Each structure stands twice: as structure tokens, then as C-alpha cells.
Amino acid sequence: QVQVMESGGDSVQAGGSLRLSCATSIASWCGNAALSWYRQAPGKERELVATLNSAGAPTYADFVKGRFTISQDDTKSTLYLQMNNLNAEDTALYSCKVITSRCPISSGPGTPVTVSS
């Protein structure tokens, strides 16, 4: 089974930085995992921010390229999202999602980010 819990959300000024964390627990029988960060702003659809595929290769939405970095610790138990040069449009509830080959998709409750201009 898979367990997921996000943390690190906060209120920051425009131009500031935050690092979000997603603690993951993935049973070995679930197989390889792809991990993603999503966000949902008030009144808007949820959107994909960044993905780390099962081979460890990152991909990013155009609106965060050059500002956000997705990474994982060496033990593969924590997923990070380093967010730099934040702007008001980045205000949203950020959540991570884990997709494995053998277990149900899992997402956490999310962590809120508020950017004030």
C-alpha cells in the first residue's frame, strides 16, 4: 500500500521561496512509482505541476519551468518541490500523488501555499 503526507506550505511574499515535502511510504510489492506534484487554486481546476517518473526523470509544467525543482531524497521516502521566485498565481493547495504499477493511486490532503504581492 501507499501512504502520502505533504508539508511545508506557508504564506510568503512574491519573489520568495518555499520547499514543500511529501513523505511517502510505498510497499515494495506496489512496484515502481511515479510521483507528481499537483496544485489547485481557489475556483480553478487542479493542474499538474511536476512529475518524477519511475526512472527519476523530472518533467515540469510550462508555468513553473526554471522556477520549481522536483526531487527525491536518497532513501526515496520524501519527495520535494523547491519553489523559487513565487508569484501570486502560485497560490494554491499543493498535493502529491503516487502512481505505482500494482497499487491504487494515492494522494495526500495537500499543503496550502499563499503568495502575497
Side-chain angles (χ1 to χ4, degrees):
Q1 68 188 54
V2 179
Q3 294 178 319
V4 178
M5 180 61 68
E6 304 91 344
S7 63
D10 206 344
S11 297
V12 296
Q13 295 282 331
S17 298
L18 275 178
R19 188 176 79 160
L20 305 182
S21 299
C22 176
T24 62
S25 176
I26 305 172
S28 58
W29 64 80
C30 289
N32 292 329
L35 303 98
S36 298
W37 283 100
Y38 283 79
R39 71 184 188 186
Q40 186 166 21
K44 294 188 177 181
E45 296 287 321
R46 190 171 72 154
E47 55 188 0
L48 177 63
V49 175
T51 295
L52 204 60
N53 69 15
S54 58
T59 56
Y60 299 94
D62 286 343
F63 54 79
V64 302
K65 280 182 180 176
R67 298 190 299 128
F68 292 10
T69 303
I70 188 172
S71 64
Q72 198 173 21
D73 70 339
D74 290 343
T75 65
K76 295 190 176 181
S77 62
T78 306
L79 180 71
Y80 299 106
L81 186 68
Q82 177 67 41
M83 307 187 294
N84 298 326
N85 194 22
L86 287 160
N87 57 61
E89 288 69 39
D90 296 317
T91 294
L93 181 69
Y94 286 74
S95 60
C96 64
K97 182 165 77 172
V98 178
I99 300 175
T100 65
S101 54
R102 302 191 193 100
C103 292
I105 295 172
S106 296
S107 289
T111 186
V113 172
T114 302
V115 184
S116 56
S117 55

